[in-house]
Amino acid sequence: MALIKGFTTARPYALNGPNGTFVTDQYVKAAHGKAIKEFPFIAASSGKFTDSEFNRYKVTCHNEGVTLPTKAYLLDKIDEINKVINHSWTSEEIKGRLKRIKDLKRRFDPAERERVARILEEARERGDDAKVEELQEELDKLGTQRLAFRTSLGPSKLSETPKGQSEQDRLAERNRENRRLNAEAVRKAQLKEKAKSREIEMAIKRGEAYHGDMSRRLRTKAKFVYDVNESVDKKPAANGSGTNTPGTSTPKPAAQSQLSSHLAKLKEEKYQEKKGIPTIHKPLMDDDVIGSLDLDIDVEI
């Protein structure tokens, strides 16, 4: 709450009106107690005074020795405001006002800078040096000027929520944004985990010792069928025992191949005994394998 002392002009700023956004350089000289400051119209409010605002203004005036306006003084001000509202504008006043608004908007409109830049380029192509110099100076002025209070003639980035958007729509939009951010965070974490696992695998392949978390799951190759013919290069055991250690040697590949061929032959003979009669399949037992072996033992009775 303040007392209007008059109007003045200063740095231009953008203001929203009933016909769109326009540029003005007018400020209000308002007094709060004895202090007089200049305020832009964007700082003014069209709402009613609250009790706290009135009490603050009354206390400030009392402390600074300023007399509060009387009812008659306020009625006179109301009459003056109504005269301004009901003022009949002449053609000259309307033309002057429109020209002033157009000139201010032209200085800060991005479209105007683009237009001047286009004309400047055309003048350069024609070789008109005088016109180029004039347009260049005008373009430099348009490029260095900025509106006050971070206002702009374009759409505001902090624009209000559209009228047709409800609270549910705003929450849904926020949820979609949160899900997108969460998915992005998960994707980055997965990529980081894969890179770490790849480093561990390469270190293990190089024979380096890994002192980290051994419970980390590494990529392995699934193996469902054991192939006896698969050649595996086994390294010596850590305790120094090799293939010649008594009692710990394993069958040689040739012996394993011979044993597997014998089992295959035994299965084939067993299948031939069926002679087309359907029977229940029985797996080979240890007795069948031992009975089919020729141990070269002759027993005389």
Side-chain angles (χ1 to χ4, degrees):
M1 185 174 180
L3 178 63
I4 297 176
K5 292 291 187 178
F7 300 92
T8 184
T9 58
R11 185 180 175 185
Y13 59 93
L15 185 66
N16 293 326
N19 297 325
T21 306
F22 63 96
V23 180
T24 182
D25 58 354
Q26 292 183 340
Y27 288 72
V28 178
K29 296 176 66 176
H32 187 79
K34 290 184 178 180
I36 300 177
K37 294 183 179 180
E38 298 177 358
F39 295 93
F41 281 94
I42 57 177
S45 174
S46 59
K48 296 181 179 181
F49 295 120
T50 62
D51 294 338
S52 60
E53 291 174 345
F54 176 72
N55 292 332
R56 179 185 176 187
Y57 179 75
K58 185 169 62 174
V59 171
T60 302
C61 292
H62 177 73
N63 294 336
E64 296 182 1
V66 178
T67 304
L68 290 174
T70 61
K71 185 176 181 180
Y73 178 82
L74 294 177
L75 292 176
D76 293 339
K77 286 295 180 183
I78 292 175
D79 294 337
E80 293 179 3
I81 293 174
N82 291 330
K83 287 181 181 180
V84 174
I85 295 175
N86 299 324
H87 175 71
S88 297
W89 293 81
T90 62
S91 300
E92 290 75 11
E93 291 176 343
I94 294 175
K95 290 180 181 179
R97 178 176 174 81
L98 293 177
K99 183 178 182 300
R100 179 181 177 83
I101 294 176
K102 184 178 180 180
D103 292 341
L104 287 173
K105 185 175 181 179
R106 181 174 175 273
R107 289 167 52 188
F108 301 96
D109 191 2
E112 180 64 21
R113 286 196 292 269
E114 294 178 0
R115 188 186 68 84
V116 174
R118 184 173 61 255
I119 298 175
L120 175 62
E121 188 65 25
E122 294 176 356
R124 286 177 178 173
E125 293 178 357
R126 294 194 308 267
D128 191 351
D129 297 337
K131 191 67 174 178
V132 168
E133 185 177 356
E134 179 184 354
L135 292 173
Q136 186 62 46
E137 292 179 359
E138 184 178 357
L139 185 62
D140 293 340
K141 292 180 181 179
L142 294 176
T144 56
Q145 295 176 350
R146 295 291 183 272
L147 292 172
F149 309 109
R150 297 183 179 180
T151 55
S152 174
L153 290 174
S156 177
K157 295 181 180 179
L158 301 177
S159 58
E160 297 181 357
T161 306
K163 295 181 179 179
Q165 190 175 14
S166 61
E167 183 67 21
Q168 289 79 5
D169 297 334
R170 291 194 296 270
L171 292 177
E173 182 66 24
R174 185 179 302 175
N175 290 335
R176 283 193 294 269
E177 182 65 17
N178 292 337
R179 286 196 297 269
R180 186 187 67 81
L181 295 177
N182 292 337
E184 184 68 17
V186 171
R187 188 183 68 85
K188 291 181 179 179
Q190 290 176 346
L191 293 177
K192 186 176 180 181
E193 182 70 17
K194 287 182 179 180
K196 185 65 176 178
S197 300
R198 195 177 299 110
E199 292 179 1
I200 296 173
E201 291 176 1
M202 296 302 296
I204 293 176
K205 287 182 180 180
R206 292 192 300 266
E208 299 177 0
Y210 177 67
H211 303 287
D213 185 10
M214 298 304 296
S215 63
R216 182 187 299 273
R217 292 186 297 176
L218 300 178
R219 184 170 52 188
T220 58
K221 181 179 179 181
K223 187 174 182 181
F224 301 99
V225 180
Y226 177 72
D227 188 3
V228 295
N229 297 323
E230 182 180 3
S231 60
V232 180
D233 297 334
K234 294 186 177 181
K235 297 182 179 180
N239 56 4
S241 61
T243 56
N244 296 329
T245 304
T248 60
S249 61
T250 57
K252 295 182 179 180
Q256 292 180 353
S257 178
Q258 184 178 1
L259 180 60
S260 61
S261 61
H262 179 74
L263 293 176
K265 184 177 180 181
L266 182 60
K267 287 183 179 180
E268 184 179 358
E269 292 177 356
K270 190 170 183 179
Y271 291 153
Q272 290 177 356
E273 293 177 357
K274 295 181 180 180
K275 297 180 180 180
I277 300 175
T279 57
I280 299 175
H281 172 69
K282 295 181 180 180
L284 292 176
M285 306 300 292
D286 294 342
D287 295 339
D288 298 332
V289 177
I290 295 174
S292 63
L293 295 177
D294 187 5
L295 302 179
D296 295 334
I297 299 176
D298 296 332
V299 180
E300 295 181 359
I301 301 176

